[in-house]
Amino acid sequence: MNLSRVLSTEILPVVDRPSRYLGTEHNAVHKQGARVRMALAFPDLYDLGLGNLGLHILYAILNRIDGVAAERVYAPAPDMERELRARGLKLFGVESRDELCDFDAIGFTLQSELTFTNILNMIDLAGLPLRTAHRAAGPIVLAGGPAVFNPEPLAPFIDAFVIGDGEQVVSEIAGVLAVHRERDARLLALSRLEGVYVPALYPMETLPDGRVVPPLDAPKIRKRTARALDGNNFPVDYIVPFTEQVHDRVSLEVLRGCTQGCRFCQAGMTTRPVRERTVDAVEELMTRTLAATGYEEVSLVSLSTCDHSRVRSLVERTSTMAKAQHVALSLPSLRLDSFSVELADMASSTRRTGLTFAPEAASPRLRAVINKWIPDDELIEMASAAYEKGWEHVKTYFMIGLPTEREEDIVAIADLCARTLAAGKRKNPRATVNTGVSTFVPKPFTPFQWARQINIQETEEKQSLLLQNIKRHKNIKFGRHKPHETFLEGLVSRADRRAGDLIEAAWRHGARFDAWGEHLDFGAWQRAIDEVGYDCDDALRERALDERLPWDHIDIHVPKAWFVADYERAMLLQHAPDCRAKKCHDCGVIDVERALCAHMLRNSIEGRKAERAWTRAPLAAVPEPLPVQRLRFRVGREGDARFLGHLEWQKAWQRALRRAGAPIAYTQGFHPHPRVDFSSALPSGEESRAEFMDARLVRRVDMEALFSSLRATAPAGFLLLGVEEVPLEAAATMGEVRGWRYELVPGLAIDEARAAAERIERATALPVTRRSKSGPIEVDVRPMVDRIAVRDDGVVELDLGTVNGKPGKAREIVELMQLPPTTRVVRTEVRFR
Ligand code: SF4
C-alpha cells in the first residue's frame, strides 16, 4: 500500500520536522519497476541516520544495479509512530512511500546495542512478526554494520546477518533476491554467501548452565573484506538533507581499518588491515562530491585519520581546496600527539573553538594496559601546542572501569586535566578544559572481551570520586555519561541468544531510543529484567580465558589465541606498537589477507619517506572578494516542499546555488556567511509563488545561464519563477515587506467558504495564542487581516500585514475560519511598501 496521500494531507502537517520523511532530498533515487526492492533501514532518527556513510555507500551501489531499487527508512520519531499506529498504517520507504511489507528485504545498519529496541519497533511497524521463526513470507530482514560482530542477541529477530564490509556482498544479496522468490529458498541461498550468517540454519548448543554457544566443530562465518577503497563505491551523489543533521557534512572516508591496537576498541580489530585512498583519489572525490551536493563541510573520516600514510599532503591539498570553495574541513579522529595539532592547524579556518583528544586513561600505567601509550609530558606538550596556536578549549575523553583500574587512576584524570589547564593558561589566558568520561564496556573481538564491566553503583561511585577531585580546579568542565546507558549496552554486548527475550520484553514495555537521554526509559528495562529473570551480574561478569563465547563462530581473521596473548601482554603492561610503524605482530590477518597486509606495510614505509620530504606550501591570507553583481530570483515552492521550515528552505537554496556554480560572495570575518538574503520567512505548511532571494556574486555571470543551472539542480517542489539584476546597493527586500497576499483553497462549498470569511471580516478581535521566548502570549490578529474575500471558484483571497513587527499568519486564519486542516495555503504575492 502506498501512503503518499495520507502522509501529505494528514500526517506530515501534524508531526515535528516533517522534512525527515519527505524522501525528495537532492540526489534521492526514485526508481520505478524494479524486480528487487530493498529498504535500507537505520534504527535511529533521520537527523543521525542521514549522515551514515555506510548507508550512502550501499544505497548508491544497489541503485546502480539494473532491476534493483534501494530506498531508505529511518526510525520514526515518537509522534510519527503514534500517527502510524493510530491509523493502522505500516512503516514506509521514504522514496516511494510504499509500506515496508511490499519490499523484498529490509536491511538494518547496526550502530550500537542501544538501537536494538528501535530495530524491533521498526520490524513491528513494518507489520512483520518480530521473530524469524514466526515469519512465513514477506521481506527478508537483514542486518550488518559495526555492531554486528556478536549477532546472537538479535539472532531471534534477524533472518540473515552480513559480517564485515558490505560493498560486494550487497550485490550478491540482491542477486539472490532476484533469483529466488520464496522465503526458504532465499534464506538457504543467502546462507551460502561468504560472510552471511543465517541463524535459523545454524546449529547452536545449550550448555548445562544454560549458555547458548556455537558447537566446537561448527562452520565459521568469515567476515567480508573490501579489497580496495576505490572511487567507484564512493557515493559522490550523496543525498543532501533538508533537516538539520547531528553531523551535517559529507563524510569522505580516507582510510578503513586501524592498527594502533587499543585493547578496548572493537572497530580497530574487526576492520584490519588498513586500506587507504590515495591523496589524488580523495581530492577527486571531494571535488565531485561538493559539485554534486553543494555541501559546506567535508569531514575526512576514518578510525584514525592521522594514520594515513601521506596525511600531511592529504590535509594540505584538501584544506586548500576547501578554503577556495568556502567549505569547512574537519578531522574528527585525531591521534594523541603534537603532529595532530599541526594537522588540525592546517585544516582549520581562522576561528578556533574546541580541539578534542581521547587519552582514555590518565595514568601512564593504565595507558600501557590499554595500549594507548603516550607519556604524560608529551600529552601536556601537545595540549600546550594547541592552546598556543589559538585553541581556547581542549576536550579530553576518558574511560572509567577499565581492567586493572585503581582509585589513583581516577584521581589521575583530575590531576592530568589540571596540569593540562595550567600549561594551557601559560600560553592562552582564556584556556579551558572540558572532560568527558564514559564507562568501559567490554566488547567481543577485543583483548578485553573477558574483562568484567562495572555496574551502575560502581560507576556512580567512581564518577563522584572524580567530581570531588575535579571540583578543586577552576575552568575544568566535567561531563559524564549516564551510567544506565552503558549498563544496558553491557547487558547485551557479550550476550547469547537468550538476550533476545530481554530486548523484546524491554521493547514491549515501551523502551525506544535508548541512546537518547530524553527518551531512555530505564524503568521499562527494569521491568523487562524482572519479567524474564535476566541475570545482570552474569552479563557483566569476567569471563574465563578458556570459556566458550557466543561469537566463537564468527571469524574476523584474528584468532582467539591472539586476543588471549594480547590480554596477557596488557596485564604485564607491555605496549604493542602499531604494526605499520614497527613490525607485524602476527595478529592473524596476514594469514588470510596476505596481499592487503603486504600492501599496507609497503605503503606505510613509502608514505613515511614521502612525509619526511614534504614541505608546506606558503599560504597567503586572502580577504573575501567584494560582490560585483546582485541577482534577485523570484522563488517559490509547491507540494510536499511546503513542509520545510524556513531555515531548511533557505539552506536548500544556498546549496542549490553552490551546485549551480554561482560565485557567491561571503561576509568578512571569522565566520564568513554566504550573502544570500530572502524577502521574508516562509512558515512550514505554506506553498508560495512570491518569495525573493537576493544573491550577491563576486564574478559577473550570464543571468539566464545561471537561472537554467539553478532550475536544473533545485530539489523537487522548489520553484524558480524569474530573475533580474538589481543594483548592489538596493535596499534589502525584507525591510520593504508590509504584508502578503494568500490564496486559501479549502475545497468547501462556496457558501460555506463565504460564511467563514464573513465571520473573520465582522470580528472586532481575533485572539490567538502564540509561542514566544518568554512562553505563550495572547495576540489579537484581527488588525493583521487587511482583506478577505471569496472568489466564485471557492478560493479565499487573504491579505495579511504586520502589526508592531508581528506578522499575520495564514494558518491561524485557516483555524479561526474553521476551514479543514487540509486547506492549501498558497502565498501568491509579497506586498511591498
Ligand atoms: S597481520 Fe601483522 S601486518 Fe597484518 S594487521 Fe596484523 S599485525 Fe598488522
Side-chain angles (χ1 to χ4, degrees):
M1 179 169 145
N2 185 274
L3 306 188
S4 280
R5 198 202 57 79
V6 68
L7 280 167
S8 291
T9 57
E10 295 180 28
I11 299 182
L12 294 179
V14 297
V15 294
D16 187 34
R17 297 202 193 200
S19 57
R20 288 168 172 159
Y21 313 100
L22 293 188
T24 53
E25 308 97 320
H26 186 71
N27 290 330
V29 179
H30 294 256
K31 225 168 158 181
Q32 306 292 332
R35 178 167 168 76
V36 174
R37 299 181 71 195
M38 294 174 74
L40 300 176
F42 191 85
D44 211 322
L45 287 181
Y46 175 96
D47 324 23
L48 257 186
L50 192 116
N52 183 266
L53 178 59
L55 201 140
H56 281 277
I57 292 173
L58 300 181
Y59 185 82
I61 291 173
L62 287 169
N63 278 320
R64 266 186 240 131
I65 304 173
D66 269 351
V68 176
E71 301 194 21
R72 295 161 294 140
V73 55
Y74 303 91
D79 59 350
M80 174 58 92
E81 180 184 341
R82 267 195 307 278
E83 296 298 328
L84 291 174
R85 289 196 189 277
R87 292 171 174 77
L89 300 174
K90 301 194 175 77
L91 194 55
F92 54 93
V94 293
E95 280 82 358
S96 65
R97 298 182 174 179
D98 285 337
E99 291 180 328
L100 292 188
C101 49
D102 297 337
F103 286 70
D104 293 282
I106 305 168
F108 286 95
T109 296
L110 301 190
Q111 291 298 305
S112 117
E113 291 82 354
L114 296 177
T115 62
F116 285 1
T117 52
N118 282 3
I119 292 175
L120 266 56
N121 198 38
M122 291 171 79
I123 294 174
D124 182 65
L125 275 168
L128 302 179
L130 276 189
R131 298 203 173 227
T132 72
H134 302 150
R135 285 176 211 144
I140 302 292
V141 180
L142 302 156
V148 81
F149 290 94
N150 175 19
E152 292 310 304
L154 282 181
F157 316 105
I158 301 292
D159 294 322
F161 292 92
V162 175
I163 311 293
D165 295 333
E167 279 99 335
Q168 275 88 33
V169 73
V170 74
S171 315
E172 296 164 20
I173 290 171
V176 164
L177 297 174
V179 171
H180 301 280
R181 308 304 287 177
E182 295 303 319
R183 176 178 165 80
D184 288 347
R186 282 177 161 178
L187 291 180
L188 190 62
L190 287 172
S191 73
R192 291 181 177 142
L193 298 178
E194 190 181 355
V196 176
Y197 168 48
V198 178
L201 301 180
Y202 200 90
M204 277 283 166
E205 187 182 333
T206 303
L207 300 177
D209 62 2
R211 285 181 295 132
V212 183
V213 292
L216 287 169
D217 56 352
K220 294 268 188 185
I221 312 293
R222 178 174 276 206
K223 79 158 184 178
R224 296 292 291 259
T225 303
R227 293 272 99 70
L229 300 187
D230 59 29
N232 292 339
N233 284 337
F234 187 80
V236 286
D237 41 6
Y238 221 85
I239 297 165
V240 187
F242 297 122
T243 319
E244 195 184 336
Q245 299 291 296
V246 174
H247 299 295
D248 203 1
R249 59 201 183 193
V250 169
S251 295
L252 181 41
E253 189 181 26
V254 293
L255 76 158
R256 190 177 298 175
C258 179
T259 45
Q260 290 279 342
C262 302
R263 292 184 173 120
F264 54 83
C265 176
Q266 187 189 54
M269 296 296 171
T270 55
T271 57
R272 292 178 171 205
V274 169
R275 291 139 288 158
E276 59 181 42
R277 289 202 157 94
T278 63
V279 178
D280 286 343
V282 172
E283 203 173 43
E284 195 232 323
L285 291 176
M286 187 166 151
T287 306
R288 287 169 53 206
T289 310
L290 290 174
T293 61
Y295 255 112
E296 319 77 11
E297 184 170 345
V298 175
S299 180
L300 302 185
V301 296
S302 70
L303 291 172
S304 176
T305 301
C306 299
D307 289 341
H308 191 283
S309 63
R310 285 152 179 84
V311 66
R312 283 187 167 107
S313 329
L314 176 76
V315 174
E316 181 180 33
R317 278 168 59 182
T318 49
S319 60
T320 305
M321 186 198 295
K323 275 174 193 147
Q325 298 190 33
H326 287 96
V327 168
L329 184 75
S330 57
L331 304 174
S333 333
L334 288 179
R335 217 169 49 196
L336 280 179
D337 52 24
S338 42
F339 175 61
S340 298
V341 178
E342 177 193 330
L343 293 176
D345 183 41
M346 279 161 67
S348 81
S349 56
T350 37
R351 185 164 188 264
R352 277 139 202 238
T353 47
L355 202 57
T356 303
F357 298 103
E360 313 290 1
S363 71
R365 185 196 66 81
L366 200 51
R367 283 204 293 276
V369 172
I370 66 173
N371 204 36
K372 201 156 186 182
W373 176 245
I374 177 170
D376 270 9
D377 294 350
E378 278 182 38
L379 257 180
I380 290 171
E381 205 178 293
M382 171 199 72
S384 296
Y387 290 118
E388 193 167 19
K389 285 188 183 296
W391 275 280
E392 291 173 4
H393 314 296
V394 166
K395 290 185 203 153
T396 51
Y397 283 105
F398 295 92
M399 271 192 241
I400 52 174
L402 284 162
T404 79
E405 183 188 72
R406 305 168 189 154
E407 195 171 304
E408 70 228 36
D409 297 311
I410 309 234
V411 176
I413 297 177
D415 178 57
L416 183 61
C417 290
R419 283 188 288 147
T420 306
L421 183 64
K425 287 271 182 209
R426 285 195 283 277
K427 306 287 180 192
N428 185 341
R430 296 159 68 99
T432 62
V433 171
N434 287 5
T435 300
V437 176
S438 61
T439 304
F440 164 67
V441 179
K443 294 282 171 156
F445 295 110
T446 64
F448 288 167
Q449 64 184 351
W450 294 279
R452 178 176 175 269
Q453 180 178 336
I454 58 172
N455 59 30
I456 293 177
Q457 191 190 341
E458 289 165 293
T459 302
E460 284 170 346
E461 285 165 8
K462 284 170 192 274
Q463 284 182 343
S464 67
L465 173 66
L466 180 55
L467 187 60
Q468 280 165 26
N469 282 277
I470 277 187
K471 267 187 184 163
R472 291 204 235 117
H473 309 282
K474 268 206 280 178
N475 292 329
I476 299 179
K477 288 194 188 131
F478 175 45
R480 48 191 150 167
H481 284 230
K482 275 203 177 141
H484 301 86
E485 289 168 20
T486 37
F487 172 72
L488 294 181
E489 221 180 314
L491 292 190
V492 289
S493 73
R494 293 180 295 168
D496 61 40
R497 286 187 185 187
R498 293 172 298 167
D501 294 344
L502 172 71
I503 299 166
E504 181 176 341
W507 168 74
R508 289 197 187 282
H509 284 291
R512 312 271 192 282
F513 294 103
D514 301 314
W516 294 73
E518 67 268 38
H519 293 300
L520 173 62
D521 180 354
F522 191 65
W525 279 93
Q526 271 175 326
R527 289 191 290 280
I529 289 166
D530 294 342
E531 186 180 302
V532 304
Y534 200 74
D535 188 341
C536 300
D537 291 337
D538 186 64
L540 304 185
R541 76 180 160 87
E542 182 178 2
R543 273 65 169 163
L545 289 179
D546 59 356
E547 185 170 325
R548 286 167 67 186
L549 300 169
W551 53 91
D552 277 346
H553 55 320
I554 305 295
D555 176 5
I556 65 153
H557 308 332
V558 181
K560 202 170 175 181
W562 188 87
F563 288 123
V564 172
D566 204 45
Y567 180 73
E568 285 165 350
R569 279 194 288 271
M571 295 306 114
L572 296 171
L573 311 189
Q574 285 177 356
H575 175 48
D578 184 347
C579 62
R580 300 172 75 202
K582 293 277 184 210
K583 64 176 180 58
C584 170
H585 306 301
D586 215 1
C587 76
V589 175
I590 202 161
D591 299 335
V592 188
E593 300 289 358
R594 179 159 293 276
L596 286 184
C597 269
H599 180 263
M600 172 187 84
L601 295 174
R602 205 170 44 244
N603 195 37
S604 64
I605 292 168
E606 287 167 8
R608 276 200 296 278
K609 276 192 214 152
E611 287 286 281
R612 270 199 295 273
W614 174 88
T615 48
R616 188 176 180 178
L619 273 183
V622 185
E624 292 296 337
L626 295 171
V628 296
Q629 188 180 25
R630 178 170 168 185
L631 298 183
R632 178 164 295 168
F633 296 92
R634 184 172 173 129
V635 296
R637 67 185 187 191
E638 62 184 9
D640 284 350
R642 72 187 186 279
F643 293 117
L644 299 182
H646 182 63
L647 294 178
E648 294 173 336
W649 141 266
Q650 268 190 342
K651 188 155 215 172
W653 273 118
Q654 285 170 6
R655 286 177 172 165
L657 279 165
R658 291 173 67 96
R659 290 195 295 272
I664 303 169
Y666 282 75
T667 56
Q668 309 285 335
F670 279 155
H671 258 326
H673 290 295
R675 299 189 66 182
V676 179
D677 307 314
F678 289 77
S679 49
S680 49
L682 183 56
S684 177
E686 291 186 8
E687 297 178 51
S688 177
R689 303 194 290 270
E691 309 303 309
F692 292 95
M693 171 175 75
D694 278 16
R696 290 174 174 80
L697 308 175
V698 295
R699 206 177 59 241
R700 289 200 67 80
V701 297
D702 179 327
M703 200 165 67
E704 298 305 326
L706 179 60
F707 184 83
S708 302
S709 315
L710 188 55
R711 182 174 263 179
T713 195
F718 279 48
L719 306 175
L720 194 56
L721 303 163
V723 63
E724 61 174 337
E725 183 164 354
V726 293
L728 281 168
E729 63 282 0
T733 46
M734 188 168 253
E736 299 297 305
V737 174
R738 73 176 170 92
W740 305 269
R741 175 155 296 162
Y742 282 95
E743 286 179 1
L744 312 180
V745 190
L748 293 179
I750 193 160
D751 291 347
E752 262 183 279
R754 286 208 165 115
E758 273 167 28
R759 280 199 299 277
I760 298 294
E761 224 174 2
R762 281 205 301 267
T764 49
L766 293 168
V768 298
T769 305
R770 287 186 180 176
R771 275 188 291 184
S772 76
K773 279 184 194 149
S774 52
I777 49 166
E778 189 120 312
V779 178
D780 178 13
V781 298
R782 179 63 189 90
M784 298 168 189
V785 180
D786 293 334
R787 186 179 78 93
I788 187 162
V790 179
R791 293 196 318 231
D792 291 344
D793 58 1
V795 172
V796 180
E797 287 184 348
L798 173 69
D799 286 0
L800 290 179
T802 54
V803 174
N804 298 332
K806 292 192 179 72
K809 295 184 181 178
R811 280 277 162 206
E812 286 173 348
I813 306 300
V814 168
E815 273 179 39
L816 289 164
M817 291 173 78
Q818 295 169 354
L819 300 181
T822 50
T823 297
R824 276 182 66 202
V825 175
V826 186
R827 196 183 263 186
T828 56
E829 224 177 278
V830 176
R831 298 157 63 218
F832 289 109
R833 284 182 220 287

